[in-house]
Amino acid sequence: MFTRLNKLYHEFPPRFWIIVLTFFIDSVGGTLLFPFFSLYITQRFNVGMTQAGMVLAMFSIFGIVGNMVGGALTDRFGRRKLILFGLVFSALSTLTLGLVNSLAVLFPLAAFIGLLSDVSGPAHQAMMADILDEKQRQEGFGLLRVVRNLAWIIGPTIGGFLANRSFFLLFVIDAIVSCIVAVIFYTQMPETKPAAHHENEKHESIWRTVAGYRFVIRDFAFMAFIVAAILMGAVYQQMYNSLSVFLRDNHGINPQGYGFLMTTSAITVILFQFSVTRLIKHRPPFLIMAAGTLFYMIGFSMFGFVSAYWLFASAIVVITMGEMLIMPTSQTLAANFAPVEMRGRYMAIFGLTWLLPSTFAPMLAGMIL
């Protein structure tokens, strides 16, 4: 096993493993809080999932703007500065969210945080594409998913335990983790933007950089892929927002029980993601994504027809099987579509596959609930 791990370590450049380390630490902090945020809103402000969905939509609507601006800034100024800004702002905004006492204040605050917190998103994706060559990307994104799901074993389990006692602790710990990651990233990670392109673009105006999105939109194959991914994302995101409220209100599942369901998903990814990624890397990518969507359909449908906890866990495993096919494949496709000089903007458009469903999916789910 150690021989295989050593071989795997040397297959990727050192900077990739710095990203893996910081991504893991940051994910632990995020998974402490993120799965329980809908529960926090409904409990703290005594509202239903419809209002909670509206708050989540505010984050995402303004996050779309921040994401698009961030994509242009990533191509113009590089990746490192944007990522560091995102980490520091994340710490400050998380603490602020934990101190809010009024739902009326939460709405404008969600808009402001959404606008700035997603500025660094395209920089993360572009940095991965800079570091890994085309043949390494699918496995590299697969490894990041394994690491993220290791965090899902730790985060939701601890988060569910703490949420039963004090939601505010979740906000404090997440802020501390963001600061730790910022320090590691600042001291260990250099800029990765290709120098040649930096020199060619240094005199380009901000407006011209932003206007470059028109070339992305004219890439019709890429945009068709984006539309399909948005539809898939609208379904997939229910696992992380409305599902916790549905299980609590209809089946009496407490936050800790929901946390263990998320841990089930994480264990599945840890055990099988890397093997699945190597198995599918030479298969037609759009066929793989279609197969993953079928797993989504089956897994999410199960929640409407079963009531035993072990069947809820089985449904999560089915969904996770689809996730293991779709996630690394879609990230690799987006990176491969992007020309080097436009990686930030392509990755910003790819970010819409998460952000755009976030603007309507939780609210629609709340109305149905």
Side-chain angles (χ1 to χ4, degrees):
M1 183 181 72
F2 289 109
T3 303
R4 283 162 53 190
L5 288 174
N6 185 59
K7 182 181 177 184
L8 178 64
Y9 175 80
H10 287 96
E11 284 181 11
F12 295 91
R15 287 181 297 177
F16 171 75
W17 295 110
I18 296 172
I19 290 179
V20 169
L21 174 64
T22 55
F23 185 74
F24 172 70
I25 298 171
D26 196 38
S27 295
V28 170
T31 54
L32 278 170
L33 175 62
F34 176 64
F36 306 101
F37 195 56
S38 296
L39 291 173
Y40 166 75
I41 295 172
T42 56
Q43 181 176 311
R44 169 124 180 162
F45 302 106
N46 195 28
V47 296
M49 186 59 206
T50 302
Q51 290 91 337
M54 291 171 67
V55 173
L56 296 174
M58 291 294 290
F59 280 106
S60 298
I61 290 169
F62 285 87
I64 290 172
V65 179
N67 183 69
M68 300 297 283
V69 172
L73 294 178
T74 296
D75 284 334
R76 180 173 171 80
F77 297 114
R79 298 36 165 150
R80 187 171 179 267
K81 293 176 183 176
L82 270 293
I83 293 173
L84 287 170
F85 169 81
L87 289 167
V88 174
F89 181 77
S90 175
L92 296 173
S93 61
T94 299
L95 278 178
T96 306
L97 283 171
L99 295 169
V100 171
N101 292 314
S102 168
L103 186 65
V105 175
L106 188 59
F107 279 99
L109 183 63
F112 178 71
I113 291 173
L115 183 65
L116 293 182
S117 63
D118 283 296
V119 165
S120 63
H124 285 278
Q125 299 279 349
M127 182 171 277
M128 279 288 291
D130 294 338
I131 291 171
L132 300 178
D133 62 42
E134 191 170 329
K135 294 179 181 178
Q136 292 178 310
R137 284 173 190 160
Q138 195 160 17
E139 290 183 16
F141 284 121
L143 275 169
L144 280 184
R145 283 191 40 71
V146 172
V147 168
R148 179 169 178 77
N149 282 274
L150 280 170
W152 271 104
I153 288 182
I154 301 169
T157 304
I158 298 174
F161 176 79
L162 294 174
N164 284 330
R165 288 152 181 82
S166 170
F167 272 110
F168 185 66
L169 278 175
L170 303 182
F171 292 93
V172 172
I173 295 171
D174 186 26
I176 292 171
V177 168
S178 293
C179 292
I180 293 170
V181 173
V183 171
I184 296 173
F185 205 88
Y186 178 78
T187 57
Q188 301 297 323
M189 195 67 194
E191 178 58 66
T192 63
K193 183 183 178 184
H197 297 287
H198 178 72
E199 290 299 319
N200 290 338
E201 295 171 7
K202 64 182 179 181
H203 299 299
E204 185 179 69
S205 68
I206 288 287
W207 169 247
R208 189 172 178 182
T209 303
V210 173
Y213 276 113
R214 70 182 185 274
F215 297 109
V216 185
I217 294 171
R218 289 174 186 170
D219 189 339
F220 294 115
F222 178 68
M223 294 307 297
F225 156 66
I226 293 297
V227 170
I230 287 170
L231 294 175
M232 288 186 288
V235 177
Y236 174 74
Q237 285 187 23
Q238 303 308 321
M239 189 162 79
Y240 299 110
N241 43 61
S242 61
L243 181 59
S244 61
V245 177
F246 169 77
L247 291 175
R248 180 194 65 187
D249 293 349
N250 292 274
H251 298 283
I253 305 297
N254 63 23
Q256 199 162 354
Y258 171 70
F260 282 127
L261 287 178
M262 296 300 97
T263 301
T264 301
S265 173
I267 292 171
T268 304
V269 171
I270 291 165
L271 292 176
F272 301 111
Q273 179 69 76
F274 196 62
S275 298
V276 168
T277 302
R278 290 208 156 173
L279 184 66
I280 66 174
K281 79 174 176 178
H282 298 301
R283 308 278 181 180
F286 289 107
L287 186 62
I288 294 299
M289 293 190 68
T293 308
L294 291 177
F295 281 108
Y296 281 0
M297 181 186 72
I298 295 168
F300 280 106
S301 296
M302 286 176 66
F303 282 103
F305 299 97
V306 303
S307 57
Y309 189 82
W310 72 270
L311 288 173
F312 293 147
S314 299
I316 289 292
V317 169
V318 173
I319 293 167
T320 304
M321 291 170 68
E323 183 186 332
M324 288 191 294
L325 296 175
I326 288 172
M327 294 302 183
T329 304
S330 63
Q331 290 174 304
T332 303
L333 276 168
N336 292 347
F337 266 115
V340 174
E341 69 278 6
M342 296 189 70
R343 275 181 182 153
R345 282 161 285 190
Y346 266 77
M347 291 308 175
I349 296 293
F350 177 66
L352 296 180
T353 62
W354 181 264
L355 291 169
L356 200 56
S358 298
T359 65
F360 63 85
M363 188 163 55
L364 291 179
M367 292 169 66
I368 293 169
L369 287 174

PDB file of all heavy atoms in Angstrom, residues 268-296:
ATOM      1  N   THR A 268     -18.290   6.154   0.673  1.00  0.00           N
ATOM      2  CA  THR A 268     -18.436   5.561  -0.663  1.00  0.00           C
ATOM      3  C   THR A 268     -17.434   6.168  -1.637  1.00  0.00           C
ATOM      4  O   THR A 268     -16.780   5.457  -2.411  1.00  0.00           O
ATOM      5  CB  THR A 268     -19.869   5.769  -1.181  1.00  0.00           C
ATOM      6  OG1 THR A 268     -20.800   5.214  -0.247  1.00  0.00           O
ATOM      7  CG2 THR A 268     -20.067   5.093  -2.538  1.00  0.00           C
ATOM      8  N   VAL A 269     -17.294   7.493  -1.604  1.00  0.00           N
ATOM      9  CA  VAL A 269     -16.348   8.173  -2.494  1.00  0.00           C
ATOM     10  C   VAL A 269     -14.908   7.775  -2.170  1.00  0.00           C
ATOM     11  O   VAL A 269     -14.109   7.487  -3.067  1.00  0.00           O
ATOM     12  CB  VAL A 269     -16.520   9.702  -2.402  1.00  0.00           C
ATOM     13  CG1 VAL A 269     -15.404  10.421  -3.161  1.00  0.00           C
ATOM     14  CG2 VAL A 269     -17.872  10.121  -2.951  1.00  0.00           C
ATOM     15  N   ILE A 270     -14.581   7.754  -0.890  1.00  0.00           N
ATOM     16  CA  ILE A 270     -13.212   7.418  -0.473  1.00  0.00           C
ATOM     17  C   ILE A 270     -12.825   6.013  -0.940  1.00  0.00           C
ATOM     18  O   ILE A 270     -11.710   5.773  -1.410  1.00  0.00           O
ATOM     19  CB  ILE A 270     -13.075   7.541   1.055  1.00  0.00           C
ATOM     20  CG1 ILE A 270     -13.158   9.020   1.463  1.00  0.00           C
ATOM     21  CG2 ILE A 270     -11.749   6.954   1.547  1.00  0.00           C
ATOM     22  CD1 ILE A 270     -13.394   9.230   2.939  1.00  0.00           C
ATOM     23  N   LEU A 271     -13.761   5.081  -0.825  1.00  0.00           N
ATOM     24  CA  LEU A 271     -13.467   3.695  -1.182  1.00  0.00           C
ATOM     25  C   LEU A 271     -13.384   3.470  -2.692  1.00  0.00           C
ATOM     26  O   LEU A 271     -12.584   2.660  -3.153  1.00  0.00           O
ATOM     27  CB  LEU A 271     -14.532   2.763  -0.583  1.00  0.00           C
ATOM     28  CG  LEU A 271     -14.541   2.624   0.945  1.00  0.00           C
ATOM     29  CD1 LEU A 271     -15.702   1.744   1.388  1.00  0.00           C
ATOM     30  CD2 LEU A 271     -13.212   2.036   1.439  1.00  0.00           C
ATOM     31  N   PHE A 272     -14.196   4.193  -3.464  1.00  0.00           N
ATOM     32  CA  PHE A 272     -14.358   3.817  -4.876  1.00  0.00           C
ATOM     33  C   PHE A 272     -14.021   4.905  -5.895  1.00  0.00           C
ATOM     34  O   PHE A 272     -13.879   4.594  -7.072  1.00  0.00           O
ATOM     35  CB  PHE A 272     -15.806   3.350  -5.129  1.00  0.00           C
ATOM     36  CG  PHE A 272     -16.208   2.171  -4.287  1.00  0.00           C
ATOM     37  CD1 PHE A 272     -17.144   2.307  -3.282  1.00  0.00           C
ATOM     38  CD2 PHE A 272     -15.646   0.917  -4.498  1.00  0.00           C
ATOM     39  CE1 PHE A 272     -17.514   1.227  -2.489  1.00  0.00           C
ATOM     40  CE2 PHE A 272     -16.004  -0.170  -3.727  1.00  0.00           C
ATOM     41  CZ  PHE A 272     -16.950  -0.015  -2.715  1.00  0.00           C
ATOM     42  N   GLN A 273     -13.899   6.190  -5.477  1.00  0.00           N
ATOM     43  CA  GLN A 273     -13.745   7.250  -6.464  1.00  0.00           C
ATOM     44  C   GLN A 273     -12.522   7.081  -7.360  1.00  0.00           C
ATOM     45  O   GLN A 273     -12.614   7.196  -8.581  1.00  0.00           O
ATOM     46  CB  GLN A 273     -13.667   8.612  -5.769  1.00  0.00           C
ATOM     47  CG  GLN A 273     -13.471   9.792  -6.730  1.00  0.00           C
ATOM     48  CD  GLN A 273     -14.667  10.059  -7.600  1.00  0.00           C
ATOM     49  OE1 GLN A 273     -15.656  10.614  -7.148  1.00  0.00           O
ATOM     50  NE2 GLN A 273     -14.597   9.677  -8.873  1.00  0.00           N
ATOM     51  N   PHE A 274     -11.366   6.807  -6.770  1.00  0.00           N
ATOM     52  CA  PHE A 274     -10.155   6.750  -7.578  1.00  0.00           C
ATOM     53  C   PHE A 274     -10.206   5.585  -8.563  1.00  0.00           C
ATOM     54  O   PHE A 274      -9.802   5.718  -9.724  1.00  0.00           O
ATOM     55  CB  PHE A 274      -8.915   6.648  -6.678  1.00  0.00           C
ATOM     56  CG  PHE A 274      -7.642   6.975  -7.408  1.00  0.00           C
ATOM     57  CD1 PHE A 274      -7.443   8.230  -7.953  1.00  0.00           C
ATOM     58  CD2 PHE A 274      -6.641   6.023  -7.558  1.00  0.00           C
ATOM     59  CE1 PHE A 274      -6.269   8.536  -8.637  1.00  0.00           C
ATOM     60  CE2 PHE A 274      -5.469   6.321  -8.236  1.00  0.00           C
ATOM     61  CZ  PHE A 274      -5.281   7.582  -8.774  1.00  0.00           C
ATOM     62  N   SER A 275     -10.728   4.447  -8.124  1.00  0.00           N
ATOM     63  CA  SER A 275     -10.859   3.296  -9.022  1.00  0.00           C
ATOM     64  C   SER A 275     -11.847   3.593 -10.148  1.00  0.00           C
ATOM     65  O   SER A 275     -11.600   3.262 -11.312  1.00  0.00           O
ATOM     66  CB  SER A 275     -11.331   2.067  -8.242  1.00  0.00           C
ATOM     67  OG  SER A 275     -10.399   1.709  -7.254  1.00  0.00           O
ATOM     68  N   VAL A 276     -12.968   4.242  -9.797  1.00  0.00           N
ATOM     69  CA  VAL A 276     -13.965   4.597 -10.804  1.00  0.00           C
ATOM     70  C   VAL A 276     -13.382   5.576 -11.812  1.00  0.00           C
ATOM     71  O   VAL A 276     -13.573   5.430 -13.032  1.00  0.00           O
ATOM     72  CB  VAL A 276     -15.225   5.197 -10.131  1.00  0.00           C
ATOM     73  CG1 VAL A 276     -16.152   5.836 -11.168  1.00  0.00           C
ATOM     74  CG2 VAL A 276     -15.966   4.125  -9.359  1.00  0.00           C
ATOM     75  N   THR A 277     -12.622   6.556 -11.325  1.00  0.00           N
ATOM     76  CA  THR A 277     -12.026   7.561 -12.219  1.00  0.00           C
ATOM     77  C   THR A 277     -11.073   6.917 -13.212  1.00  0.00           C
ATOM     78  O   THR A 277     -11.087   7.246 -14.405  1.00  0.00           O
ATOM     79  CB  THR A 277     -11.286   8.633 -11.395  1.00  0.00           C
ATOM     80  OG1 THR A 277     -12.193   9.235 -10.481  1.00  0.00           O
ATOM     81  CG2 THR A 277     -10.720   9.709 -12.301  1.00  0.00           C
ATOM     82  N   ARG A 278     -10.246   6.001 -12.757  1.00  0.00           N
ATOM     83  CA  ARG A 278      -9.313   5.326 -13.666  1.00  0.00           C
ATOM     84  C   ARG A 278     -10.062   4.424 -14.653  1.00  0.00           C
ATOM     85  O   ARG A 278      -9.647   4.269 -15.799  1.00  0.00           O
ATOM     86  CB  ARG A 278      -8.305   4.512 -12.862  1.00  0.00           C
ATOM     87  CG  ARG A 278      -7.332   5.397 -12.090  1.00  0.00           C
ATOM     88  CD  ARG A 278      -5.996   4.748 -11.846  1.00  0.00           C
ATOM     89  NE  ARG A 278      -4.968   5.765 -11.634  1.00  0.00           N
ATOM     90  CZ  ARG A 278      -3.732   5.488 -11.260  1.00  0.00           C
ATOM     91  NH1 ARG A 278      -3.352   4.234 -11.044  1.00  0.00           N
ATOM     92  NH2 ARG A 278      -2.846   6.460 -11.106  1.00  0.00           N
ATOM     93  N   LEU A 279     -11.188   3.857 -14.212  1.00  0.00           N
ATOM     94  CA  LEU A 279     -11.974   2.976 -15.079  1.00  0.00           C
ATOM     95  C   LEU A 279     -12.641   3.747 -16.209  1.00  0.00           C
ATOM     96  O   LEU A 279     -12.747   3.247 -17.328  1.00  0.00           O
ATOM     97  CB  LEU A 279     -13.032   2.257 -14.232  1.00  0.00           C
ATOM     98  CG  LEU A 279     -13.899   1.219 -14.947  1.00  0.00           C
ATOM     99  CD1 LEU A 279     -13.066   0.024 -15.398  1.00  0.00           C
ATOM    100  CD2 LEU A 279     -15.036   0.760 -14.027  1.00  0.00           C
ATOM    101  N   ILE A 280     -13.089   4.981 -15.931  1.00  0.00           N
ATOM    102  CA  ILE A 280     -13.881   5.724 -16.919  1.00  0.00           C
ATOM    103  C   ILE A 280     -13.070   6.732 -17.727  1.00  0.00           C
ATOM    104  O   ILE A 280     -13.608   7.346 -18.654  1.00  0.00           O
ATOM    105  CB  ILE A 280     -15.044   6.476 -16.238  1.00  0.00           C
ATOM    106  CG1 ILE A 280     -14.516   7.573 -15.305  1.00  0.00           C
ATOM    107  CG2 ILE A 280     -15.956   5.504 -15.502  1.00  0.00           C
ATOM    108  CD1 ILE A 280     -15.586   8.460 -14.705  1.00  0.00           C
ATOM    109  N   LYS A 281     -11.785   6.904 -17.415  1.00  0.00           N
ATOM    110  CA  LYS A 281     -11.064   8.031 -18.024  1.00  0.00           C
ATOM    111  C   LYS A 281     -10.887   7.916 -19.538  1.00  0.00           C
ATOM    112  O   LYS A 281     -10.678   8.926 -20.201  1.00  0.00           O
ATOM    113  CB  LYS A 281      -9.730   8.261 -17.327  1.00  0.00           C
ATOM    114  CG  LYS A 281      -8.608   7.360 -17.682  1.00  0.00           C
ATOM    115  CD  LYS A 281      -7.336   7.872 -16.982  1.00  0.00           C
ATOM    116  CE  LYS A 281      -6.176   6.943 -17.232  1.00  0.00           C
ATOM    117  NZ  LYS A 281      -4.940   7.437 -16.613  1.00  0.00           N
ATOM    118  N   HIS A 282     -11.003   6.725 -20.086  1.00  0.00           N
ATOM    119  CA  HIS A 282     -10.906   6.571 -21.540  1.00  0.00           C
ATOM    120  C   HIS A 282     -12.267   6.353 -22.190  1.00  0.00           C
ATOM    121  O   HIS A 282     -12.349   6.033 -23.378  1.00  0.00           O
ATOM    122  CB  HIS A 282      -9.965   5.415 -21.877  1.00  0.00           C
ATOM    123  CG  HIS A 282      -8.552   5.619 -21.402  1.00  0.00           C
ATOM    124  ND1 HIS A 282      -7.779   6.691 -21.806  1.00  0.00           N
ATOM    125  CD2 HIS A 282      -7.780   4.913 -20.537  1.00  0.00           C
ATOM    126  CE1 HIS A 282      -6.588   6.623 -21.226  1.00  0.00           C
ATOM    127  NE2 HIS A 282      -6.566   5.561 -20.445  1.00  0.00           N
ATOM    128  N   ARG A 283     -13.336   6.495 -21.415  1.00  0.00           N
ATOM    129  CA  ARG A 283     -14.701   6.331 -21.943  1.00  0.00           C
ATOM    130  C   ARG A 283     -15.220   7.665 -22.460  1.00  0.00           C
ATOM    131  O   ARG A 283     -14.757   8.736 -22.036  1.00  0.00           O
ATOM    132  CB  ARG A 283     -15.635   5.817 -20.849  1.00  0.00           C
ATOM    133  CG  ARG A 283     -15.131   4.571 -20.134  1.00  0.00           C
ATOM    134  CD  ARG A 283     -15.438   3.327 -20.911  1.00  0.00           C
ATOM    135  NE  ARG A 283     -14.980   2.132 -20.199  1.00  0.00           N
ATOM    136  CZ  ARG A 283     -15.121   0.911 -20.660  1.00  0.00           C
ATOM    137  NH1 ARG A 283     -15.701   0.716 -21.826  1.00  0.00           N
ATOM    138  NH2 ARG A 283     -14.685  -0.126 -19.972  1.00  0.00           N
ATOM    139  N   PRO A 284     -16.221   7.655 -23.354  1.00  0.00           N
ATOM    140  CA  PRO A 284     -16.795   8.917 -23.842  1.00  0.00           C
ATOM    141  C   PRO A 284     -17.376   9.735 -22.680  1.00  0.00           C
ATOM    142  O   PRO A 284     -18.273   9.258 -21.972  1.00  0.00           O
ATOM    143  CB  PRO A 284     -17.907   8.453 -24.796  1.00  0.00           C
ATOM    144  CG  PRO A 284     -17.504   7.079 -25.217  1.00  0.00           C
ATOM    145  CD  PRO A 284     -16.812   6.481 -24.029  1.00  0.00           C
ATOM    146  N   PRO A 285     -16.893  10.941 -22.458  1.00  0.00           N
ATOM    147  CA  PRO A 285     -17.268  11.688 -21.248  1.00  0.00           C
ATOM    148  C   PRO A 285     -18.753  12.021 -21.153  1.00  0.00           C
ATOM    149  O   PRO A 285     -19.333  11.981 -20.065  1.00  0.00           O
ATOM    150  CB  PRO A 285     -16.410  12.955 -21.326  1.00  0.00           C
ATOM    151  CG  PRO A 285     -15.999  13.069 -22.752  1.00  0.00           C
ATOM    152  CD  PRO A 285     -15.903  11.673 -23.272  1.00  0.00           C
ATOM    153  N   PHE A 286     -19.390  12.357 -22.273  1.00  0.00           N
ATOM    154  CA  PHE A 286     -20.808  12.715 -22.190  1.00  0.00           C
ATOM    155  C   PHE A 286     -21.678  11.491 -21.913  1.00  0.00           C
ATOM    156  O   PHE A 286     -22.729  11.597 -21.281  1.00  0.00           O
ATOM    157  CB  PHE A 286     -21.252  13.428 -23.466  1.00  0.00           C
ATOM    158  CG  PHE A 286     -20.674  14.809 -23.589  1.00  0.00           C
ATOM    159  CD1 PHE A 286     -19.663  15.077 -24.491  1.00  0.00           C
ATOM    160  CD2 PHE A 286     -21.120  15.846 -22.776  1.00  0.00           C
ATOM    161  CE1 PHE A 286     -19.116  16.349 -24.594  1.00  0.00           C
ATOM    162  CE2 PHE A 286     -20.580  17.116 -22.860  1.00  0.00           C
ATOM    163  CZ  PHE A 286     -19.580  17.364 -23.777  1.00  0.00           C
ATOM    164  N   LEU A 287     -21.241  10.329 -22.363  1.00  0.00           N
ATOM    165  CA  LEU A 287     -21.948   9.090 -22.040  1.00  0.00           C
ATOM    166  C   LEU A 287     -21.831   8.789 -20.548  1.00  0.00           C
ATOM    167  O   LEU A 287     -22.803   8.348 -19.900  1.00  0.00           O
ATOM    168  CB  LEU A 287     -21.374   7.931 -22.867  1.00  0.00           C
ATOM    169  CG  LEU A 287     -22.098   6.588 -22.746  1.00  0.00           C
ATOM    170  CD1 LEU A 287     -23.529   6.708 -23.244  1.00  0.00           C
ATOM    171  CD2 LEU A 287     -21.358   5.512 -23.544  1.00  0.00           C
ATOM    172  N   ILE A 288     -20.664   9.045 -19.981  1.00  0.00           N
ATOM    173  CA  ILE A 288     -20.456   8.852 -18.543  1.00  0.00           C
ATOM    174  C   ILE A 288     -21.367   9.777 -17.744  1.00  0.00           C
ATOM    175  O   ILE A 288     -21.981   9.382 -16.741  1.00  0.00           O
ATOM    176  CB  ILE A 288     -18.978   9.119 -18.176  1.00  0.00           C
ATOM    177  CG1 ILE A 288     -18.061   8.070 -18.829  1.00  0.00           C
ATOM    178  CG2 ILE A 288     -18.790   9.136 -16.664  1.00  0.00           C
ATOM    179  CD1 ILE A 288     -18.348   6.648 -18.400  1.00  0.00           C
ATOM    180  N   MET A 289     -21.498  11.027 -18.182  1.00  0.00           N
ATOM    181  CA  MET A 289     -22.359  11.966 -17.469  1.00  0.00           C
ATOM    182  C   MET A 289     -23.825  11.570 -17.571  1.00  0.00           C
ATOM    183  O   MET A 289     -24.595  11.719 -16.613  1.00  0.00           O
ATOM    184  CB  MET A 289     -22.140  13.381 -18.003  1.00  0.00           C
ATOM    185  CG  MET A 289     -20.758  13.923 -17.679  1.00  0.00           C
ATOM    186  SD  MET A 289     -20.573  15.668 -18.051  1.00  0.00           S
ATOM    187  CE  MET A 289     -21.650  16.395 -16.836  1.00  0.00           C
ATOM    188  N   ALA A 290     -24.237  11.039 -18.715  1.00  0.00           N
ATOM    189  CA  ALA A 290     -25.619  10.570 -18.866  1.00  0.00           C
ATOM    190  C   ALA A 290     -25.898   9.407 -17.918  1.00  0.00           C
ATOM    191  O   ALA A 290     -26.958   9.345 -17.287  1.00  0.00           O
ATOM    192  CB  ALA A 290     -25.870  10.157 -20.312  1.00  0.00           C
ATOM    193  N   ALA A 291     -24.947   8.493 -17.801  1.00  0.00           N
ATOM    194  CA  ALA A 291     -25.113   7.355 -16.885  1.00  0.00           C
ATOM    195  C   ALA A 291     -25.212   7.838 -15.448  1.00  0.00           C
ATOM    196  O   ALA A 291     -26.032   7.347 -14.662  1.00  0.00           O
ATOM    197  CB  ALA A 291     -23.942   6.386 -17.048  1.00  0.00           C
ATOM    198  N   GLY A 292     -24.384   8.839 -15.090  1.00  0.00           N
ATOM    199  CA  GLY A 292     -24.441   9.393 -13.741  1.00  0.00           C
ATOM    200  C   GLY A 292     -25.786  10.020 -13.431  1.00  0.00           C
ATOM    201  O   GLY A 292     -26.299   9.911 -12.306  1.00  0.00           O
ATOM    202  N   THR A 293     -26.387  10.660 -14.429  1.00  0.00           N
ATOM    203  CA  THR A 293     -27.697  11.281 -14.238  1.00  0.00           C
ATOM    204  C   THR A 293     -28.774  10.241 -13.932  1.00  0.00           C
ATOM    205  O   THR A 293     -29.697  10.500 -13.152  1.00  0.00           O
ATOM    206  CB  THR A 293     -28.087  12.079 -15.496  1.00  0.00           C
ATOM    207  OG1 THR A 293     -27.030  12.970 -15.830  1.00  0.00           O
ATOM    208  CG2 THR A 293     -29.343  12.890 -15.257  1.00  0.00           C
ATOM    209  N   LEU A 294     -28.677   9.067 -14.528  1.00  0.00           N
ATOM    210  CA  LEU A 294     -29.634   7.987 -14.230  1.00  0.00           C
ATOM    211  C   LEU A 294     -29.544   7.573 -12.765  1.00  0.00           C
ATOM    212  O   LEU A 294     -30.561   7.300 -12.120  1.00  0.00           O
ATOM    213  CB  LEU A 294     -29.379   6.789 -15.149  1.00  0.00           C
ATOM    214  CG  LEU A 294     -29.720   6.984 -16.620  1.00  0.00           C
ATOM    215  CD1 LEU A 294     -29.333   5.742 -17.422  1.00  0.00           C
ATOM    216  CD2 LEU A 294     -31.204   7.269 -16.800  1.00  0.00           C
ATOM    217  N   PHE A 295     -28.327   7.523 -12.227  1.00  0.00           N
ATOM    218  CA  PHE A 295     -28.167   7.213 -10.804  1.00  0.00           C
ATOM    219  C   PHE A 295     -28.819   8.304  -9.938  1.00  0.00           C
ATOM    220  O   PHE A 295     -29.445   7.998  -8.915  1.00  0.00           O
ATOM    221  CB  PHE A 295     -26.689   7.073 -10.443  1.00  0.00           C
ATOM    222  CG  PHE A 295     -26.094   5.751 -10.827  1.00  0.00           C
ATOM    223  CD1 PHE A 295     -25.198   5.647 -11.884  1.00  0.00           C
ATOM    224  CD2 PHE A 295     -26.426   4.602 -10.130  1.00  0.00           C
ATOM    225  CE1 PHE A 295     -24.639   4.423 -12.229  1.00  0.00           C
ATOM    226  CE2 PHE A 295     -25.877   3.375 -10.473  1.00  0.00           C
ATOM    227  CZ  PHE A 295     -24.988   3.285 -11.527  1.00  0.00           C
ATOM    228  N   TYR A 296     -28.674   9.572 -10.333  1.00  0.00           N
ATOM    229  CA  TYR A 296     -29.353  10.648  -9.617  1.00  0.00           C
ATOM    230  C   TYR A 296     -30.862  10.413  -9.595  1.00  0.00           C
ATOM    231  O   TYR A 296     -31.511  10.553  -8.557  1.00  0.00           O
ATOM    232  CB  TYR A 296     -29.079  11.996 -10.296  1.00  0.00           C
ATOM    233  CG  TYR A 296     -27.736  12.632 -10.014  1.00  0.00           C
ATOM    234  CD1 TYR A 296     -26.793  12.027  -9.192  1.00  0.00           C
ATOM    235  CD2 TYR A 296     -27.406  13.860 -10.571  1.00  0.00           C
ATOM    236  CE1 TYR A 296     -25.571  12.616  -8.942  1.00  0.00           C
ATOM    237  CE2 TYR A 296     -26.190  14.473 -10.331  1.00  0.00           C
ATOM    238  CZ  TYR A 296     -25.272  13.838  -9.516  1.00  0.00           C
ATOM    239  OH  TYR A 296     -24.055  14.440  -9.269  1.00  0.00           O
TER     240      TYR A 296
END
